Amino acid sequence: MSSAIGLSDPETPVTAASDTAASEAAASGTVALGTVPSGVGAELLPSTAEDGPAGLAIGGVPLTELARSFGTPLFVYDEEHLRQRCREAVAAFGRDNVAYASKAFLCVAMARLAHEEGMLLDVASGGELRVALRAGLPGDRIVLHGNNKDDAELRTAITAGVRHIVVDSFDEMDRIERLHTVEGLAPARIYLRVAPGVAAGAHESIRTGGNDSKFGFGIAGGAAASAVRRAVDSPAMVFEGVHAHVGSQVLDVAELAAGAAAVARFAVGVQARRITIGGGLGVAYETGQSAPSFAEWATRVREAVRGAGWAGDVGVEPGRSIVARAGLTLYRVGTIKQIEGVRTYVSVDGGMSDNPRPALYSGRYEAFLPRCPGAPRPLRARLVGKHCESGDVIINDAALPADLQVSDLLATPVTGAYGYAMASNYNKLPRPAVVFVRDGRARVVVRRETDEDLLRLDLPDPAYPAGT
């Protein structure tokens, strides 16, 4: 990272009030009333980020050049950053103990990359499973999750020989036994997902380990123990271990360790052979935040499970912490609306269709202009998308350079997780392209949707069947 982006001083005191005054102050080199955040934090940018004559470059390619070549909105991923994060996770936990949670971001290229770097792949639906198989992954490097797997998903997984299926309910056990008895499918290798009574995470919607959860068998009340007994006795299942996940965007490893200890105590009691404690490790989304390393996570979790009597390995499933910081989103500014005495609105050509996290989880982000990533950002504005929703807000109170103008290229960093993965066609907007960059080159790994794509599922002049 070039020091030209420099954020050692996250806020600079200022002395003027209005957007106009801030612009004049920036032009004259003075400062204005309130606080002026400096450029975007280096800790939020991909590892190969450098500031140069053409502005910020990722993987040796200027972001302005990527926008000209591929359009906006655009998801840009630093491939070297992705690979390094995979290697760090494998080094911390071991090749057979760490699975990439593909729900955070999945395409064929990402599945291949994670596999090449020694990770298993955690998929949570039949669609994600098909992407993994299309990418060429062998079945025994894939793990299937899901709280409501149907027969087709289970059939595909068992036939493909996935490493194991994480069973979530007694109804799912019924389906597995029916497929074994009626269709003659091989016994399924399974983990049982348990709810350990420990929930963590930055928002209620991403806390998954509590007793009141749609996921897993509750340890409290005995459901988990009953599930173990049934799995052990069933000829349709091979009971291999216990899984739990306490939540997402967890920045305190003590919470993850507490969940791991609860799972370990249960696993020791039922004589399970393996445990997986899921993912959930958080990332920094705003300047000044920090997140634990994989090594810190591994150390605390191992201490916790040893203290609970578990002597074996521990599996984990990081997703967000692999891909979030590796990716950023490029937008083009379309309108700037100043409401005197209220606020300034800055609208871009994307929005909640490519990043629903602010609306769903109150997710918070930073923004900057790639042409001047280290510039002071005295302008306060609400950064919004182009959808017909007042809730289409990307950043409620964004800090932006004073000379922001229509047609500027704008970037939001740390959008590599749950941006493209949760993208939609709301208002019939095409989903953005996804580009990987490395060593001065860019490759499109997911093409931009077209108008034809938006119409391809509509049938021309559909008629009702005769006689109805």
Side-chain angles (χ1 to χ4, degrees), residues 3 91 146 168 185 244 252 266 276 278 309 365 426 432 450:
S3 60
D168 226 272
L185 297 189
D252 183 355
F266 176 78
T276 295
Y365 292 90
Y426 183 48
T450 65

Side-chain angles (χ1 to χ4, degrees), residues 41 56 73 75 87 94 143 161 192 290 312 327 334-335 358 375 379 390 407 465:
L56 191 72
F75 289 107
R87 293 174 199 142
V143 175
L192 293 174
S290 62
T335 65
L379 171 63
S390 293
S407 81

Side-chain angles (χ1 to χ4, degrees), residues 7 9-12 14 35-40 287 366 374-380 398-400:
L7 292 183
D9 179 16
E11 291 190 338
T12 303
V14 292
T35 58
V36 176
S38 59
V40 66
T287 298
E366 301 266 10
R377 296 177 294 159
L379 171 63
R380 290 290 181 172
L400 298 166

Side-chain angles (χ1 to χ4, degrees), residues 61-108:
V61 185
L63 295 180
T64 52
E65 181 180 318
L66 291 171
R68 281 194 299 269
S69 298
F70 304 110
T72 57
L74 182 69
F75 289 107
V76 178
Y77 283 84
D78 181 345
E79 183 171 341
E80 187 54 43
H81 188 119
L82 290 171
R83 291 185 181 277
Q84 184 59 38
R85 291 299 281 171
C86 291
R87 293 174 199 142
E88 290 170 5
V90 171
F93 290 98
R95 185 176 186 272
D96 292 331
N97 297 321
V98 57
Y100 168 57
S102 65
K103 65 178 183 173
F105 166 61
L106 181 64
C107 63
V108 168

Side-chain angles (χ1 to χ4, degrees), residues 141-197:
R141 301 298 293 174
I142 303 171
V143 175
L144 177 65
H145 279 270
N147 70 297
N148 187 25
K149 308 176 195 71
D150 60 27
D151 284 4
E153 290 171 321
L154 292 168
R155 184 183 298 110
T156 301
I158 295 169
T159 302
V162 300
R163 191 177 192 87
H164 57 260
I165 297 170
V166 180
V167 172
D168 226 272
S169 67
F170 290 111
D171 292 322
E172 186 175 340
M173 288 183 158
D174 292 343
R175 295 180 189 119
I176 291 173
E177 289 178 335
R178 185 169 61 250
L179 290 170
H180 176 71
T181 302
V182 177
E183 299 186 19
L185 297 189
R189 297 187 296 274
I190 72 162
Y191 277 46
L192 293 174
R193 179 163 183 169
V194 301

Side-chain angles (χ1 to χ4, degrees), residues 216-427:
F217 300 93
I219 292 177
S226 295
V228 171
R229 289 192 293 271
R230 177 171 171 181
V232 169
D233 292 340
S234 176
M237 290 173 273
V238 179
F239 174 57
E240 295 194 342
V242 175
H243 173 281
H245 187 290
V246 299
S248 294
Q249 185 51 15
V250 182
L251 295 173
D252 183 355
V253 290
E255 294 180 315
L256 297 172
V263 176
R265 284 191 291 270
F266 176 78
V268 169
V270 298
Q271 299 181 321
R273 292 192 294 165
R274 298 183 182 89
I275 60 173
T276 295
I277 59 165
L281 190 67
V283 300
Y285 281 104
E286 297 178 279
T287 298
Q289 284 185 329
S290 62
S293 67
F294 288 134
E296 291 174 287
W297 182 22
T299 297
R300 291 295 299 274
V301 162
R302 289 192 179 109
E303 290 173 350
V305 299
R306 298 293 181 266
W310 180 260
D313 287 336
V314 180
V316 294
E317 295 166 346
R320 181 197 314 267
S321 53
I322 296 289
V323 298
R325 184 180 157 194
L328 52 79
T329 309
L330 299 181
Y331 299 107
R332 190 70 67 181
V333 175
T335 65
I336 300 174
K337 176 182 178 180
Q338 295 180 331
I339 305 176
E340 188 66 32
V342 181
R343 75 174 77 250
T344 296
Y345 284 88
V346 175
S347 299
V348 297
D349 55 353
M352 64 192 304
S353 59
D354 58 72
N355 188 358
R357 288 192 68 253
L360 289 174
Y361 309 133
S362 302
R364 296 174 62 87
Y365 292 90
E366 301 266 10
F368 67 96
L369 302 185
R371 61 176 168 83
C372 53
R377 296 177 294 159
L379 171 63
R380 290 290 181 172
R382 179 169 288 175
L383 184 65
V384 298
K386 63 180 294 175
H387 297 281
C388 291
E389 296 284 344
S390 293
D392 179 24
V393 177
I394 301 171
I395 305 175
N396 187 56
D397 188 26
L400 298 166
D403 63 348
L404 175 77
Q405 56 191 312
V406 170
S407 81
D408 257 332
L409 184 67
L410 182 145
T412 52
V414 202
T415 55
Y418 304 106
Y420 179 79
M422 301 178 81
S424 74
N425 293 128
Y426 183 48
N427 286 158

